[in-house]
């Protein structure tokens, strides 16, 4: 090993055997498979890494999204999220995530045309949608209908073919708002609204959500822009729970509709896509600005929980939260001020000046203000994770494409540490002790 290689390596001494091992360091990581070289004996399987919830494990190499949690940095393909939110559109950002570069005018026009002309769904999908209960959660409906799309497009199973992948990308980005709006109107018993390809991506979604008897729907431009920016902010966020689900499921080379449905299912959970709904409940529970100090005391004593603060990755102010806070004021100028906003602003001010929260690096995240905006725009809380899913689809698809094309990837199959029983022999039912008599052990295999 050269001096340069030695400097970029990790020396491990196994105190069980006294042997020394040199493991290469690449991009600040060691390969977990290199740990298998460390054995106590020749028939030993080798050392494994134990990392529940992937707190310190890299599952892939990616060129899509960069996050520096300590500095509060988020970039898509190298572009700061602040610039994209201010200057780009959601469909342009989607192009960037999937293609890797910003489009020129001609490519953006073609891309936008292709997405808009894949917004319609098969008529039989309406019958499928109607099969859900009247009170079914919109996110549960979305999980089912996205997965069902794979039966309408059997060509999607050709994941190794680039042209097929491109077609499924256009279909999924185009149809997600349609499915989302259908799930919402199903819960209200309203007739479904067909897509209007003369509107923008966000404007078309608002039309399919809220259009009633108008001959033509004209979305409020402020709300339309706010929704477009929110979609951008949610478009990708590195290897989070739902993205990991998409990659893990797609590692079996399943069609993208099934993989994206897995992402939607992961996003359905309250610890992921439902976090902004929890913020709304918290603000309602506080009730008024004068009760914030009492709530802060309950959080410090462990009796309450400060929702919308803190993040697994960010140990600084979530850059998306700064953008959303500004959008919130723009939206409330149109819709009227939500009394919960005053509680949120004062709660943020107190928390950011309190050593208890500063010391724990608890800063507002993307969920703190996004729920207030959605609520002001007329979306019920049940739709919050659905809105999240619409924005996240381009990121999921970019991650799916990257995973499928990565020659290092194989079907996902993590290891486990088995702590269960040793080999036991089957005992006939009549010979077993009564349930609850757990002191009597039987059938233990002595090998």
């Amino acid at each position: 090993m050269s001096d340069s290689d030695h400097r970029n390596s990790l020396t491990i001494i196994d105190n069980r055997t006294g042997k020394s091992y040199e493991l290469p360091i690449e991009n600040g990581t060691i390969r977990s498979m290199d740990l298998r070289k460390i054995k106590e004996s020749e028939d030993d399987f080798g050392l494994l890494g134990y990392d529940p919830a992937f707190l310190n494990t890299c599952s892939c190499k990616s060129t899509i999204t960069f996050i520096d949690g300590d500095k509060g940095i988020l970039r898509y393909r190298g572009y700061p999220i602040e610039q994209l939110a201010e200057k780009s559109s959601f469909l342009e950002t989607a192009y960037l995530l999937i293609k890797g570069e910003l489009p020129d005018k001609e490519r953006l026009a073609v891309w936008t045309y292709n997405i808009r002309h894949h917004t319609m769904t098969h008529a039989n999908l309406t019958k499928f949608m109607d099969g859900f209960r009247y009170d079914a959660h919109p996110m549960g409906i979305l999980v089912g209908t996205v997965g069902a799309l794979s039966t309408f497009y059997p060509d999607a199973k050709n994941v190794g073919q680039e042209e097929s992948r491109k077609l499924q990308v256009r279909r999924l980005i185009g149809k997600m708002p349609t499915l989302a709006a259908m799930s919402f109107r199903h819960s209200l018993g309203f007739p479904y609204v067909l897509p209007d390809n003369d509107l923008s991506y966000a404007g078309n979604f608002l039309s399919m959500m809220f259009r009633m008897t108008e001959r033509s729907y004209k979305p409020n431009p402020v709300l339309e822009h706010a929704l477009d920016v929110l979609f951008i902010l949610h478009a990708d966020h590195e290897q989070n729970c739902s993205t990991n689900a998409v990659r893990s499921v797609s590692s079996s080379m399943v069609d993208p509709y099934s993989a994206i449905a897995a992402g939607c299912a992961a996003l359905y959970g309250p610890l992921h896509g439902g976090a902004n709904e929890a913020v709304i409940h918290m603000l309602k529970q506080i009730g008024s600005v004068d009760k914030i100090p009492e709530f802060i005391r309950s959080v410090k004593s462990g009796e309450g929980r400060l929702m919308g603060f803190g993040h697994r990755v960010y140990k600084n102010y979530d850059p998306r939260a700064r953008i959303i806070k500004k959008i919130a004021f723009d939206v409330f100028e149109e819709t009227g001020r939500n009394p919960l906003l005053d509680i949120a602003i004062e709660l943020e001010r107190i928390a950011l000046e309190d050593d208890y929260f500063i010391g724990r690096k608890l800063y507002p995240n993307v969920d703190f203000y996004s729920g207030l905006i959605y609520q002001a725009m007329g979306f019920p809380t049940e739709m919050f994770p659905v809105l999240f899913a619409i924005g996240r689809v381009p990121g999921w698809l970019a991650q799916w494409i990257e995973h499928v094309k990565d020659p290092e990837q194989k079907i996902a199959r993590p290891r486990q540490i088995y702590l269960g029983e040793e080999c036991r022999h089957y005992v006939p039912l009549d010979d077993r002790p009564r349930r609850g008599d757990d002191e009597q052990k039987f059938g233990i295999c002595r090998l």
Side-chain angles (χ1 to χ4, degrees):
M1 179 179 291
S2 67
D3 290 341
S4 176
D5 291 338
H6 183 76
R7 286 194 300 270
N8 293 311
S9 68
L10 176 69
T11 301
I12 296 178
I13 298 176
D14 187 349
N15 291 326
R16 300 171 302 176
T17 62
K19 292 182 179 179
S20 177
Y21 301 86
E22 293 283 335
L23 306 186
I25 296 176
E26 180 186 1
N27 298 317
T29 65
I30 62 168
R31 288 186 175 266
S32 295
M33 283 299 293
D34 285 343
L35 295 175
R36 292 273 289 274
K37 302 174 185 177
I38 304 174
K39 299 182 177 183
E40 196 170 10
S41 60
E42 284 300 320
D43 59 351
D44 186 4
F45 183 78
L47 205 62
L48 296 173
Y50 178 60
D51 187 12
F54 303 118
L55 295 178
N56 196 47
T57 297
C58 300
S59 62
C60 65
K61 295 177 181 177
S62 182
T63 62
I64 300 170
T65 297
F66 171 79
I67 298 174
D68 187 328
D70 291 331
K71 296 180 181 178
I73 294 173
L74 171 62
R75 300 179 190 139
Y76 297 162
R77 301 287 191 179
Y79 292 93
I81 190 63
E82 295 86 354
Q83 294 181 19
L84 294 173
E86 179 185 357
K87 301 176 181 179
S88 185
S89 67
F90 175 66
L91 286 185
E92 183 183 56
T93 299
Y95 184 103
L96 170 68
L97 287 168
I98 291 166
K99 306 281 191 176
E101 298 290 344
L102 287 171
D104 57 25
K105 287 184 178 180
E106 182 180 352
R107 285 184 171 83
L108 180 59
V110 172
W111 169 258
T112 302
Y113 176 89
N114 287 335
I115 298 298
R116 285 181 178 175
H117 285 75
H118 280 285
T119 54
M120 294 289 289
T121 59
H122 195 287
N124 285 351
L125 195 67
T126 301
K127 299 177 182 178
F128 181 83
M129 183 81 69
D130 289 340
F132 287 96
R133 277 175 55 99
Y134 70 93
D135 59 350
H137 195 290
M139 194 62 178
I141 295 177
L142 188 68
V143 171
T145 51
V146 170
L149 286 178
S150 65
T151 65
F152 289 89
Y153 305 111
D155 58 307
K157 65 184 178 183
N158 302 317
V159 298
Q161 298 178 8
E162 184 176 5
E163 288 305 313
S164 176
R165 292 198 300 266
K166 289 180 178 179
L167 179 57
Q168 312 320 319
V169 165
R170 294 194 289 267
R171 284 171 172 168
L172 268 163
I173 297 177
K175 295 180 194 310
M176 278 297 288
T178 309
L179 296 178
M182 290 173 70
S183 71
F184 168 71
R185 294 181 75 93
H186 173 82
S187 66
L188 298 175
F190 289 167
Y192 305 131
V193 175
L194 293 176
D196 185 346
N197 291 335
D198 291 330
L199 297 175
S200 70
Y201 190 84
N204 178 45
F205 175 59
L206 291 171
S207 171
M208 292 188 291
M209 283 284 296
F210 300 121
R211 183 178 176 180
M212 299 303 286
T213 59
E214 308 97 308
R215 287 192 175 185
S216 63
Y217 181 88
K218 295 182 179 179
N220 182 305
V222 174
L223 305 187
E224 181 182 16
H225 173 70
L227 188 59
D228 198 67
V229 173
L230 284 166
F231 286 160
I232 292 173
L233 299 180
H234 286 105
D236 194 56
H237 208 238
E238 206 221 46
Q239 303 308 310
N240 51 75
C241 175
S242 56
T243 299
N244 180 67
V246 170
R247 277 185 173 262
S248 183
V249 171
S250 66
S251 73
S252 71
M253 293 299 156
V254 73
D255 66 90
Y257 302 102
S258 299
I260 298 301
C264 291
L267 197 62
Y268 195 176
L271 296 183
H272 195 4
N276 47 15
E277 182 179 350
V279 173
I280 297 294
H281 293 318
M282 176 191 70
L283 297 175
K284 287 182 176 179
Q285 180 185 1
I286 295 172
S288 60
V289 171
D290 61 293
K291 294 182 179 178
I292 292 177
E294 178 183 347
F295 174 76
I296 292 292
R297 285 193 293 270
S298 71
V299 171
K300 291 180 179 180
S301 64
E303 299 173 6
R305 186 177 179 186
L306 184 59
M307 306 303 299
F309 275 68
H311 193 277
R312 171 73 70 84
V313 175
Y314 293 112
K315 304 306 175 187
N316 202 320
Y317 207 108
D318 184 338
R320 300 170 299 173
R322 296 185 190 277
I323 300 168
I324 286 180
K325 184 177 180 180
K326 179 183 181 302
I327 294 174
F329 287 100
D330 296 337
V331 169
F332 289 135
E333 284 185 9
E334 293 291 319
T335 63
R337 193 177 183 89
N338 187 331
L340 295 181
L341 178 64
D342 295 326
I343 300 175
I345 293 173
E346 182 63 11
L347 179 61
E348 177 190 10
R349 185 192 67 79
I350 293 175
L352 292 179
E353 294 176 355
D354 193 307
D355 291 338
Y356 177 89
F357 300 104
I358 295 173
R360 289 164 174 77
K361 297 184 177 181
L362 296 177
Y363 299 92
N365 59 41
V366 70
D367 301 309
F368 190 65
Y369 285 104
S370 61
L372 290 171
I373 298 174
Y374 290 147
Q375 190 181 57
M377 295 174 69
F379 294 107
T381 53
E382 293 80 8
M383 282 295 293
F384 290 0
V386 177
L387 297 166
F388 197 150
I390 296 173
R392 184 54 57 88
V393 163
W396 284 337
L397 289 169
Q399 300 278 350
W400 165 65
I401 293 170
E402 187 175 67
H403 187 94
V404 169
K405 294 172 66 176
D406 187 347
E408 285 193 314
Q409 292 294 341
K410 297 178 174 62
I411 186 169
R413 189 20 174 117
R415 295 284 179 174
Q416 67 170 18
I417 301 174
Y418 179 70
L419 300 176
E421 298 283 354
E422 298 293 335
C423 176
R424 300 194 284 182
H425 292 303
Y426 181 83
V427 177
L429 181 60
D430 292 339
D431 296 338
R432 298 175 201 166
R434 290 183 304 170
R435 289 187 63 182
D437 190 5
D438 55 2
E439 292 183 0
Q440 183 177 353
K441 297 293 182 180
F442 53 93
I444 302 298
C445 182
R446 307 297 181 188
L447 298 177

